[in-house]
Amino acid sequence: MGENTIELTYLGPGDEEDMIATVVRPENVVFLVDIAAPERMFYTSLGGDNVEGWYQQILTAEALDFDIFVPGHGRVGNHDDLTNVRLYMEELRADVLKGLQAGKSPNQLVEELTYPDRSHWQQYDAWGPSNVRGMAQHLTNSGTVEQ
């Protein structure tokens, strides 16, 4: 399109089955809808989504060459912002798994797991507890943790 190139990358199944990253060159702007947003908690309880696939979608997008990250919701960010979202998902998964393996209930984990370094993220208070519950549900439903 004129002097611009638009690259489309299918992200695979995960949050949704039809997610595509769109990178506009030479500006190196990526448009990602719903898989991540800079400094914003994941939407509520992760919706019973394919969380492992969602994680892979983030990794696929993170491997793209871009400087500016434009999400479907929230503020514009950069490549490091996407990395920080991935790190949050990894930390959330590890913390919830450890707690469940120790015999804690999702409600106990909601009380214990706080992420003060992310307390400034959008929807921290509203969606943070639901993120913990959603990850606990995912890990239980996927058989990663036995009930």
Side-chain angles (χ1 to χ4, degrees):
M1 294 181 60
E3 295 182 19
N4 293 87
T5 301
I6 298 175
E7 299 172 3
L8 304 176
T9 302
Y10 175 60
L11 300 176
D15 176 52
E16 295 291 338
E17 303 299 312
D18 57 356
M19 302 305 279
I20 294 175
T22 304
V23 180
V24 178
R25 307 246 185 255
E27 291 83 0
N28 296 330
V29 176
V30 69
F31 294 89
L32 292 172
V33 177
D34 291 345
I35 69 162
E39 296 186 341
R40 183 179 168 114
M41 303 302 283
F42 293 117
Y43 181 68
T44 65
S45 65
L46 311 178
D49 290 306
N50 174 355
V51 176
E52 302 305 326
W54 190 350
Y55 176 73
Q56 289 302 314
Q57 289 177 327
I58 294 170
L59 288 176
T60 300
E62 190 178 9
L64 297 171
D65 178 26
F66 66 89
D67 300 316
I68 300 168
F69 170 17
V70 178
H73 310 277
R75 71 169 180 80
V76 172
N78 60 40
H79 198 279
D80 289 342
D81 287 308
L82 183 58
T83 298
N84 287 333
V85 170
R86 175 185 51 81
L87 292 173
Y88 168 61
M89 184 178 270
E90 290 174 355
E91 185 177 6
L92 176 67
R93 187 185 191 287
D95 291 348
V96 172
L97 179 60
K98 182 178 177 183
L100 292 173
Q101 288 173 331
K104 295 181 180 179
S105 72
N107 287 336
Q108 288 173 303
L109 294 175
V110 165
E111 293 299 319
E112 294 176 13
L113 297 179
T114 60
Y115 298 93
D117 291 347
R118 295 184 179 89
S119 63
H120 65 284
W121 282 23
Q122 290 178 334
Q123 305 300 335
Y124 177 83
D125 291 328
W127 295 347
S130 295
N131 283 190
V132 172
R133 285 190 184 92
M135 185 61 76
Q137 180 181 0
H138 163 70
L139 292 171
T140 302
N141 291 347
S142 68
T144 305
V145 175
E146 294 184 20
Q147 290 185 354

